[in-house]
Amino acid sequence: NVNLRTIGRSPSCMEGVSHFSGFFDRKDDFKTALEGVEVVIHLAGRAHNFGESEKAGSLLHDLVNHQGTLQFADQARKMGVKQFIFLSSAKVNGEFSQPGASFTQDDEPNPVGAYAQSKLKAELGLIRAHRGSSMDVVIIRPPLVYGSEVGGNFKSMVDWVRKGYPFPDVNAA
């Protein structure tokens, strides 16, 4: 018997799923939402700037992705959550890997920009705060996350493909 809940700024579209609203900053109290929960999959985060200055954007990335994540994980541990799965970002590794090579878990982090830096700070904070605690922390660095309302570079690439522009052959000599 699985009891599903979502926490975020917009309600879940899944029938029968309880929804709790929050911004994921240091002030949110998710104790009610975490009651009886054994596993948290933390996907929330701030990925883009929305017209604010670079400094304000950096502060908001840190508030939500770093401080908010640590606050949420701390509440989860105190509420008896056994496992906290954090979706970070491959951008923690850097903007690109060497030709023909992939990032590995042994690579030295090289985050570029406020988003990637806030994700790394969250990772390090989670490891530091919960090492040896009753809650197991798992960190996942997916290479690219996209959906029907994708933005950023992936949207630009999709737009170019729809317009019929050819892409270079990376295997050409």
Side-chain angles (χ1 to χ4, degrees):
N1 186 12
V2 176
N3 183 4
L4 297 175
R5 298 178 194 161
T6 65
I7 301 173
R9 286 183 280 175
S10 56
S12 169
C13 60
M14 297 183 291
E15 189 175 321
V17 175
S18 304
H19 177 75
F20 298 84
S21 187
F23 182 71
F24 289 94
D25 64 14
R26 293 174 308 210
K27 298 176 217 146
D28 282 325
D29 183 347
F30 294 116
K31 291 182 187 102
T32 301
L34 292 165
E35 216 167 271
V37 171
E38 292 185 17
V39 177
V40 167
I41 303 172
H42 180 42
L43 308 173
R46 186 173 204 279
H48 303 285
N49 284 3
F50 297 97
E52 63 272 326
S53 71
E54 188 174 329
K55 182 177 179 181
S58 292
L59 291 171
L60 288 168
H61 282 299
D62 189 71
L63 178 67
V64 174
N65 297 342
H66 168 226
Q67 297 175 47
T69 294
L70 297 185
Q71 172 73 9
F72 184 43
D74 188 55
Q75 289 180 32
R77 181 186 49 76
K78 288 176 180 172
M79 292 302 294
V81 169
K82 292 178 175 45
Q83 188 171 54
F84 190 90
I85 302 169
F86 175 59
L87 191 73
S88 185
S89 172
K91 285 178 120 358
V92 166
N93 291 83
E95 289 295 312
F96 58 88
S97 61
Q98 297 302 316
S102 301
F103 290 125
T104 72
Q105 66 184 20
D106 298 323
D107 290 338
E108 194 69 32
N110 185 26
V112 176
Y115 168 74
Q117 291 165 0
S118 68
K119 287 293 197 171
L120 177 60
K121 285 170 70 176
E123 288 182 15
L124 296 173
L126 286 169
I127 292 166
R128 191 171 37 254
H130 300 285
R131 179 179 286 129
S133 80
S134 59
M135 185 173 74
D136 182 40
V137 172
V138 176
I139 297 168
I140 299 172
R141 292 181 182 165
L144 179 63
V145 177
Y146 64 93
S148 62
E149 296 179 28
V150 68
N153 292 335
F154 194 79
K155 180 183 182 324
S156 297
M157 186 174 69
V158 169
D159 290 344
W160 279 90
V161 169
R162 285 188 177 137
K163 291 176 185 175
Y165 290 97
F167 278 81
D169 182 356
V170 293
N171 296 318

